[in-house]
Amino acid sequence: MAETGDSKVLVQPAQETSRVLFVAVGVCALIAVVSVIIAAVALSRPSTPNITVNGGNTGTSSGGGMSYNPSLVASTGSGGRIWSISIGHDWGLYEYINTTGYLAGFSHDLIDAVCKAAGANCYTIWDPYTNCMDSEAGQHTHGGQGLLDRWYDACWGWEQTVTRVQIVSFSKPFIKSDPSYFWYKKGMTFNENDVSNKKIGFLDGWAQDEKCLARLTAITGSMSITVVHALTPTDLNDKIQNGQVDAAFASEPAMTGFTDVLTRSSTVRLCSIGGNGMMTRKDSTFNAMWNIGFDKIVSNGKFKELCQAAGTKHGSDSRGYIVGCVDT
């Protein structure tokens, strides 16, 4: 109904409803068109990214701390597995920091050769030894956080001991068991067969711990000692020199760099049940790969070559000149 003149025009209810329906239909149609366009674009793209890192045994510069191309940090698709190996810096000519500030040593040479022979992509990570295996004064040795929490796949050059084989797994040994001795300040006297009430220093996580000393029944008084732990051989020598301990119980390779200020006891002691190898979690397949590569370099003579060259390449008065490679 409508009025003329100044009167208002009134729209019937049926006409208003029709306009609302028309707008709603238009909006739905627009949404449908946009949805079709989005779906078409999505279908034209791959559903997942295809990322491939091409490996290859590219080698490494001396002391660089990487066994292969440092760009190998991730891999999916056909790039292959990348293995990470923890190494340290304070173990004679096996592991040290060279004059340019890079990690170097026989450990790097062996890792490079074995991984190449196995066709594996490997790289090294510096980490404190205690993150591979740790111990606290008066407590049993336990697996280190780095190894057990998968910060890396393996730790290089660890001895097999009664305690460790119940925690971790080992590869075939490539270094002979380390001889162990007491070490004390030059000019001092020390009875290596009776340590009653002495302060004895040990390296955190190493095979030569207070539990090993207690098992050496030829030594009396081991249950009455004061146990003092140190993080590195350098720390342990410092404790000897400043009188915090009467002597240290440690391996020869660990203390070789301090023979100018330390006296070594005469009797050889052993704390291991097997030589030094790669140390891994028990659920790891790393050692299977490593053993394949190691067997190859033993067969082709590369292992013997590396062992013979190590003294010239890495040796010094402070690091020593001999690596204790296993007989092959």
Side-chain angles (χ1 to χ4, degrees), residues 99-314:
T99 55
T100 61
Y102 286 98
L103 293 165
F106 177 75
S107 60
H108 296 273
D109 299 342
L110 187 62
I111 290 169
D112 188 63
V114 169
C115 289
K116 282 181 177 178
N121 294 324
C122 304
Y123 68 93
T124 58
I125 299 174
W126 178 88
D127 208 28
Y129 294 120
T130 51
N131 282 333
C132 283
M133 188 66 63
D134 197 10
S135 61
E136 298 175 11
Q139 302 297 317
H140 288 286
T141 295
H142 57 85
Q145 183 180 10
L147 183 61
L148 297 188
D149 282 0
R150 304 174 186 271
W151 296 356
Y152 25 78
D153 296 293
C155 297
W156 190 92
W158 288 74
E159 288 182 87
Q160 299 178 45
T161 69
V162 171
T163 301
R164 290 176 183 173
V165 296
Q166 300 177 72
I167 303 169
V168 292
S169 293
F170 290 88
S171 70
K172 291 182 177 180
F174 41 79
I175 301 295
K176 295 177 182 177
S177 296
D178 292 335
S180 306
Y181 301 93
F182 287 103
W183 304 81
Y184 50 98
K185 190 174 182 179
K186 276 196 171 179
M188 306 294 287
T189 59
F190 182 79
N191 184 354
E192 64 176 295
N193 297 311
D194 185 357
V195 295
S196 299
N197 302 313
K198 297 295 184 181
K199 293 178 290 185
I200 306 297
F202 303 88
L203 287 167
D204 265 357
W206 290 55
Q208 297 75 22
D209 59 9
E210 58 267 35
K211 301 299 188 295
C212 172
L213 184 58
R215 290 193 294 268
L216 299 175
T217 56
I219 300 174
T220 60
S222 60
M223 302 307 293
S224 66
I225 65 171
T226 298
V227 176
V228 179
H229 276 212
L231 291 177
T232 68
T234 300
D235 295 335
L236 189 55
N237 176 59
D238 289 343
K239 291 181 184 301
I240 298 171
Q241 299 304 319
N242 63 29
Q244 286 183 260
V245 298
D246 297 300
F249 185 61
S251 70
E252 185 167 34
M255 307 306 290
T256 295
F258 309 102
T259 53
D260 58 329
V261 294
L262 296 178
T263 298
R264 190 194 74 183
S265 61
S266 58
T267 305
V268 176
R269 323 278 182 175
L270 289 177
C271 291
S272 63
I273 59 174
N276 301 51
M278 304 303 289
M279 185 172 71
T280 70
R281 296 179 305 278
K282 286 185 176 288
D283 62 350
S284 174
T285 59
F286 176 91
N287 286 333
M289 176 279 293
W290 178 272
N291 288 341
I292 290 172
F294 180 67
D295 286 345
K296 287 183 178 180
I297 68 168
V298 168
S299 297
N300 63 24
K302 181 66 175 178
F303 177 63
K304 187 174 183 179
E305 176 186 321
L306 291 174
C307 294
Q308 292 175 338
T312 301
K313 184 176 181 181
H314 302 293

Side-chain angles (χ1 to χ4, degrees), residues 28-48:
C28 290
L30 181 60
I31 292 173
V33 171
V34 173
S35 298
V36 170
I37 294 173
I38 292 173
V41 172
L43 289 172
S44 68
R45 296 178 178 174
S47 58
T48 57

